[in-house]
Amino acid sequence: MKQAKKKIFQEFIAAKGLKSTRQRDIILDVFLSSDRHLSIEELYLKLRAKHPGIGYATVYRTLKLFAESGIAREIHFGDGQTRYEHLAAGEHHDHLVCTGCGTIVEFENEAIEQLQDEIAAGYGFLIKNHKLELYGLCAKCRG
Amino acid sequence: MKQAKKKIFQEFIAAKGLKSTRQRDIILDVFLSSDRHLSIEELYLKLRAKHPGIGYATVYRTLKLFAESGIAREIHFGDGQTRYEHLAAGEHHDHLVCTGCGTIVEFENEAIEQLQDEIAAGYGFLIKNHKLELYGLCAKCRG
DNA sequence: GCCATAATTGAAAGTGATTTTCAATATACA
DNA sequence: TGTATATTGAAAATCACTTTCAATTATGGC
């Protein structure tokens, strides 16, 4: 599935008339083998550890391309940091965020998605995507 | 209901040992008589039209106070702008955002809220608040 | 009202995250 | 291989706020 995403990205690059570069390969590789929900800063530091030559701007630019190509999604948890998570085609999930320790849990719920579509339809909207985040305290932090 | 919010804010100010100022009164007044979901920039411009003396920093500071006092809520739609919406006590709603024309529709759905609590409970979380935004095209923009 | 104390203000400087600029370099294709 | 064009890294610029600071303004006691 890592290979599948790499292939999708290569095709995206080719279709756009862009070029395949050493940096993009490295960033994609490190990105795909990282935890999900990594902030750009965290990914940059991880990259720098093995590949000191890679610049900040390149990481930003490349992550945007990942999102554009569909293999990644940008997420904001309101802490001022942008995060990207890698995503399989068609996959979708929402987040539970612990405001105590920062733990992030992913979940999927078909019933909620369906309700959303119904609500949207009621207002004449055609939903393209959505964002659902639940903020609270995890079991540990509830004390 | 505008009066009710003004009263809540006055009480908040008093309880915190803060002062009631001309600027805060003006900003609150303009804020409450504005469309919901106004960005800070938009509110600032609207304010400046009638009250040229009011500074940017004061608007930012005052909106934060509104949020703290409970009469307003900060919202982010991922366009890099912070918005504030005025809110009646205990009120909660979510948003439908048209990515075509920017129209924002508010909605409430008890069934979704309940499902959220169930999901959260399943992971041991105690939910404090949540954010649900549906992005898509409104009836007009579906064309 | 008058004073003293402390909060508030506006302008400007400072932040932090992200973007842009630009000259040098690398890639793709003829 | 040559050439046109995309990409890169470093540094400067931008954007949306936040902080600083000296001047101004409320508030409570007398």
Side-chain angles (χ1 to χ4, degrees), chain A residues 5 17 19 27 55-56 73 99 124 127 134 142:
Chain A
K5 283 174 193 149
K19 288 170 179 170
I27 296 173
Y56 223 92
R73 176 164 67 139
T99 52
I127 294 308
L134 309 180
R142 291 168 77 160

Side-chain angles (χ1 to χ4, degrees), chain B residues 49-69:
Chain B
K50 288 218 167 179
H51 309 276
I54 291 185
Y56 223 94
T58 302
V59 177
Y60 270 91
R61 289 187 278 231
T62 305
L63 284 170
K64 288 208 154 203
L65 282 180
F66 293 170
E68 240 189 288
S69 77

Side-chain angles (χ1 to χ4, degrees), chain A residues 1 5 31 59 69 72 81 86 96 105 107 122 131:
Chain A
M1 91 170 302
K5 283 174 193 149
F31 176 61
V59 176
S69 76
Q81 299 258 91
H86 31 103
L96 266 161
V105 175
F107 69 89
K131 194 194 312 187

Side-chain angles (χ1 to χ4, degrees), chain A residues 18-19 21 23-24 53-54 58 61:
Chain A
L18 305 179
K19 288 170 179 170
T21 68
Q23 287 89 335
R24 286 178 181 163
I54 292 185
T58 302
R61 289 187 278 231

Side-chain angles (χ1 to χ4, degrees), chain B residues 110-125:
Chain B
E110 189 50 47
I112 284 188
E113 313 259 314
Q114 213 168 314
L115 278 169
Q116 288 176 1
D117 285 343
E118 284 168 25
I119 291 164
Y123 288 99
F125 271 66

